[in-house]
Amino acid sequence: MPESRSALLRAALENALGGPVDVIPAQRGVRITAPAPADTDWDRWHAAIGILRQADSWGSHNYGSGPHLWAEVIEP
């Protein structure tokens, strides 16, 4: 059985960012969140943006613990 889009995105983000990400249910699928890379870490930013663009929607938010990236994937 092939992996879901959200599982593939999660694994790719964990690899690009060098650490675990959070996966939570969303209204129409799954939301993946992770702390944003350091401002000066251009390689991680470039990799993360390339991965995020594969999601159905994505963006960033500044939580109390600092900036985070998020991606939502619609799944049946």
Side-chain angles (χ1 to χ4, degrees), residues 36-53:
D39 292 345
T40 57
D41 196 341
W42 296 109
D43 290 337
R44 286 192 196 269
W45 272 106
H46 182 74
I49 296 297
I51 294 162
L52 291 172
R53 292 182 65 186

Side-chain angles (χ1 to χ4, degrees), residues 56-72:
D56 295 303
S57 58
W58 62 276
S60 64
H61 186 78
N62 194 0
Y63 295 106
S65 59
H68 280 65
L69 305 173
W70 61 266
E72 285 194 8

